[in-house]
Amino acid sequence: MKPRWLVPLLAALLAVLSPTAPAHAASAADCGGTGVERFGPASVSGAIVGAVVHEGRGYVVTRGQTPPVVAEYDLTTRKVVRQVPLGGWPGSVAPEGAWATVVSGGQIYIGTYPAPLLYRFDPATGTVRYLKTLGAARGTIWSLAAAPDGKIYAGTNPDGRVWEYDPAGGATRSWSLATGEHHVRAVAADATTVYAGLLDTKRLLAVNRTTGAVRVLAQGETGFSTVSLGRTRLRAGSGSTLYDMKTDGSDVRTVSLGRNSADSIGVAADYTAYISTRPAGHVFSYRTGDTAPTLVGTGKPQDETRHLAVGGTTLTGFAGSGGVWTMDLATGASAHTDLIKAGLSVGAERPHSILRHPDGTVWVGGHFKITVHDPAARTSRSIWVPGEPKAMARVGERVYAALYPSGEILEIDPRDEDRVRSLGALGHGQQRPWDMEYDPVTGKLLVASVPPGANLKGALTVVDPVARTMKVFVDVIRDQGLTTLSAGPGGVVYVGGDVLGGGTAAATRSTAAVAAFDLATEKVLWEVEPLPGNRTLQDVKVHDGLLYGVLKRDAGWFVMDLRTREVLRHGALSGYGEIEVHQGQVVASTYFAGGNVHLLGPGLAEPRTLATGLGDEWHTDPQLAFEPVGWRAWTLVGRDLARLRLDPACAPPLLGS
């Protein structure tokens, strides 16, 4: 019989030696309380999507708020005079914004996402009415146009259709336009025809309003994102090329916008076209016969323009970050009004990324800004950025943000936040950075990205933050977008793929692969497909000779031995998200099942739940930002910034408290 004192000693020894044991034994004090602290909305926003002008008022729809708000802005007083939420939606998918707005018969028609809902706002009464769902429960109404007889036409995704809505009786019908097309990004309509700009098949089409017959007017090198009608001519933007043609498709002319990409087109009374562009925000004028567009000025620098209206000698633009600017067409001088300062109510949005800084602040990426929280003081401040920070990383004191849709890499010094420096854009056909990590071995920032639309070739980008240079390696995993990466020992980075590339191309492969890329030789060392039939790797992390992975399309997890490339364990998971290695433990945060945190290893046969009920409110992927000491991690609970105790030795935090 063992002495009584030997039993606890042996138990303690086994706990230390066990590969499933946490990095430390939690004391009763460590596990006290609810295990969760809330700090209010992680990111609030006044960003907008759809905008339109009617009788001296601008009507804008907020972005990222649930429900979104239609706000009425007086162009003369420069004040928001009325705000109405878009409520009363059917089903369980709530709208978060509306890319599309149009005026017809004195009414404002609004098309939303991520549910393709059509609403009507009456400026006379201030009431909003839900009309129809154009397609399945999930989708986007990208664009709206009004025909002279009052009928409304919509371009949608993911079905790639043009829809007709008749306000007289509420009837709808639709047409499928092209095989393999998912995004009808822009529409315009006249008495006989709907003109549709497509993204995936890169075509400009004419659709007969009576028969539905389709004609191809132009084939672009990139998708058509904007279409505008004059009296007898059609102007359409396809990347950096402006197409100008008669409405019957004849007399096609093209002009280059240089390094700029068409964003929005406004037409003056004399049919001069004014084109706002990305990324700089430059505005050009163009008339048929011009060999090149003429630079007029810059609206809101480095911003999107959601709508462009021409009134006499003044141009009015609506900035995606939440502003209205006016430009004197004679001088090019512009003035900007912040809609929040003009009275627009802000709302909590779904964030994209999170990072904890050594100075104790927590950085949260939202739409067109990063919110820097000081938890100790319970205060926050905002840093404007030209896009969505999909991923953030830190090198010393400086923070780096990878933006969508520009693919730009920004550098921010917390000691001088007014100086946000650009290290350049990824380019090379890349648009959406999914993952970014700093590799201390090589001193480089590593970025994994996917291309837009119908493109399969993602890229690994190696950024030198000291020399401010970058190298882009396209198609590292053949015909796959890159959704994740993890820096390993010896200057080797491990990247994970997605067979769908930009999301709408026909896949050439059936299984997402992992590849090892040597940063010194700039060569792929090997490639392997861990689990046959799984199309998307959402995240991977290297720890102690093993590669831990989380799968997206068929939510699951796996552990692979990097030496033998053998999958040691795998199984189902409640959702997908990102992985962190902290104090020798591998932790994954996931959503689409109420929001959970799982312990993946080391040495576990099955994941163990560390927290549940966080909510599914991330815009990109659920992420964790651990504090360097202890088991507190920053993340979201609902849309609130929260600090959780995720100690494997403690009971899960009480998120309902």
Side-chain angles (χ1 to χ4, degrees), residues 5-73:
W5 57 266
L6 188 57
V7 175
L9 179 62
L10 289 173
L13 182 61
L14 287 172
V16 170
L17 296 176
S18 171
T20 63
H24 74 286
S27 68
D30 292 334
C31 294
T34 64
V36 58
E37 303 167 83
R38 302 175 197 266
F39 294 83
S43 181
V44 296
S45 175
I48 63 170
V49 268
V52 71
V53 170
H54 175 58
E55 294 185 345
R57 302 288 174 94
Y59 296 88
V60 302
V61 183
T62 59
R63 177 180 189 172
Q65 301 182 32
T66 303
V69 171
V70 55
E72 184 177 320
Y73 173 82

Side-chain angles (χ1 to χ4, degrees), residues 390 403-407 426-435 447-461 472-475 477 479-485 496-504 535-538 552-553 620:
K390 293 294 187 184
L403 301 188
Y404 171 84
S406 65
L426 303 177
H428 298 79
Q430 304 302 299
Q431 185 179 48
R432 182 184 291 271
W434 268 111
D435 200 2
V447 184
S449 63
V450 300
N455 186 335
L456 292 172
K457 300 185 185 303
L460 167 66
T461 299
V472 183
F473 302 93
V474 180
D475 214 25
I477 300 178
D479 286 353
Q480 295 192 15
L482 295 191
T483 50
T484 177
L485 55 80
D498 182 353
V499 302
L500 298 180
T504 59
R535 298 180 294 167
T536 306
L537 287 166
Q538 191 55 61
K552 180 177 181 179
R553 310 289 172 183
T620 309

Side-chain angles (χ1 to χ4, degrees), residues 19 484-486 494 514 537-551 556-562 568-569 577-581 584-588 599-604:
T484 177
L485 55 80
S486 182
Y494 299 89
V514 171
L537 287 166
Q538 191 55 61
D539 202 23
V540 296
K541 279 291 184 294
V542 175
H543 175 58
D544 198 21
L546 302 177
L547 186 77
Y548 293 79
V550 169
L551 305 163
W557 70 293
F558 69 92
V559 183
M560 186 176 77
D561 187 313
L562 287 174
L568 305 178
R569 295 178 293 280
E578 299 201 4
I579 306 171
E580 293 293 334
V581 177
Q585 306 292 293
V586 184
V587 181
L599 184 66
L600 300 185
L604 294 181

Side-chain angles (χ1 to χ4, degrees), residues 184-199:
V184 179
R185 187 63 181 87
V187 291
D190 60 22
T192 61
T193 308
V194 181
Y195 305 91
L198 312 185
L199 288 191

Side-chain angles (χ1 to χ4, degrees), residues 151-174:
K151 290 183 178 178
I152 305 298
Y153 291 90
T156 58
N157 111 289
D159 54 9
R161 302 179 78 85
V162 163
W163 290 77
E164 177 188 81
Y165 172 78
D166 187 351
T172 60
R173 58 175 179 158
S174 67

Side-chain angles (χ1 to χ4, degrees), residues 387-413:
E388 302 170 1
K390 293 294 187 184
M392 291 189 287
R394 182 180 56 80
V395 182
E397 295 293 315
R398 294 179 178 177
V399 173
Y400 294 83
L403 301 188
Y404 171 84
S406 65
E408 192 173 12
I409 308 299
L410 300 183
E411 178 190 77
I412 305 168
D413 189 334

Side-chain angles (χ1 to χ4, degrees), residues 562-636:
L562 287 174
R563 184 180 61 82
T564 64
R565 298 168 218 165
E566 176 189 0
V567 173
L568 305 178
R569 295 178 293 280
H570 68 92
L573 206 58
S574 64
Y576 65 89
E578 299 201 4
I579 306 171
E580 293 293 334
V581 177
H582 181 66
Q583 296 190 164
Q585 306 292 293
V586 184
V587 181
S589 182
T590 65
Y591 62 177
F592 289 138
N596 303 302
V597 180
H598 310 273
L599 184 66
L600 300 185
L604 294 181
E606 296 290 341
R608 182 151 64 87
T609 301
L610 296 181
T612 60
L614 278 68
D616 296 324
E617 295 296 334
W618 283 94
H619 192 284
T620 309
D621 284 336
Q623 299 172 29
L624 297 169
F626 278 98
E627 295 189 341
V629 178
W631 282 97
R632 303 280 174 171
W634 293 93
T635 187
L636 297 184

Side-chain angles (χ1 to χ4, degrees), residues 174-358:
S174 67
W175 301 278
S176 180
L177 303 185
T179 301
E181 183 57 60
H182 298 273
H183 302 268
V184 179
R185 187 63 181 87
V187 291
D190 60 22
T192 61
T193 308
V194 181
Y195 305 91
L198 312 185
L199 288 191
D200 300 327
T201 54
K202 307 171 186 176
R203 294 174 181 172
L204 179 63
L205 303 181
V207 184
N208 186 289
R209 289 179 54 196
T210 303
T211 66
V214 176
R215 289 184 296 121
V216 178
L217 301 179
Q219 177 71 56
E221 292 186 4
T222 63
F224 283 86
S225 59
T226 183
V227 179
S228 179
L229 271 172
R231 183 172 58 86
T232 61
R233 301 190 70 84
L234 184 70
R235 278 78 173 250
S238 172
S240 60
T241 301
L242 180 71
Y243 285 75
D244 173 24
M245 67 190 72
K246 289 185 177 180
T247 53
D248 64 4
S250 64
D251 190 27
V252 178
R253 309 177 187 209
T254 59
V255 294
S256 173
L257 298 170
R259 295 183 178 181
N260 306 287
S261 178
D263 200 14
S264 186
I265 301 175
V267 180
D270 65 354
Y271 300 110
T272 298
Y274 291 90
I275 307 104
S276 64
T277 62
R278 301 184 195 184
H282 296 326
V283 178
F284 297 88
S285 66
Y286 170 80
R287 291 182 61 83
T288 300
D290 292 350
T291 56
T294 300
L295 178 64
V296 178
T298 302
K300 174 69 165 57
Q302 295 183 287
D303 213 327
E304 302 173 359
T305 301
R306 303 290 358 123
H307 180 69
L308 209 54
V310 189
T313 60
T314 302
L315 193 63
T316 301
F318 295 82
S321 62
V324 181
W325 53 264
T326 56
M327 181 182 293
D328 186 319
L329 292 176
T331 66
S334 62
H336 176 262
T337 300
D338 186 301
L339 282 171
I340 295 175
K341 293 180 180 178
L344 180 67
S345 298
V346 298
E349 65 172 351
R350 296 196 296 140
H352 298 271
S353 52
I354 192 168
L355 175 144
R356 186 192 179 278
H357 197 273

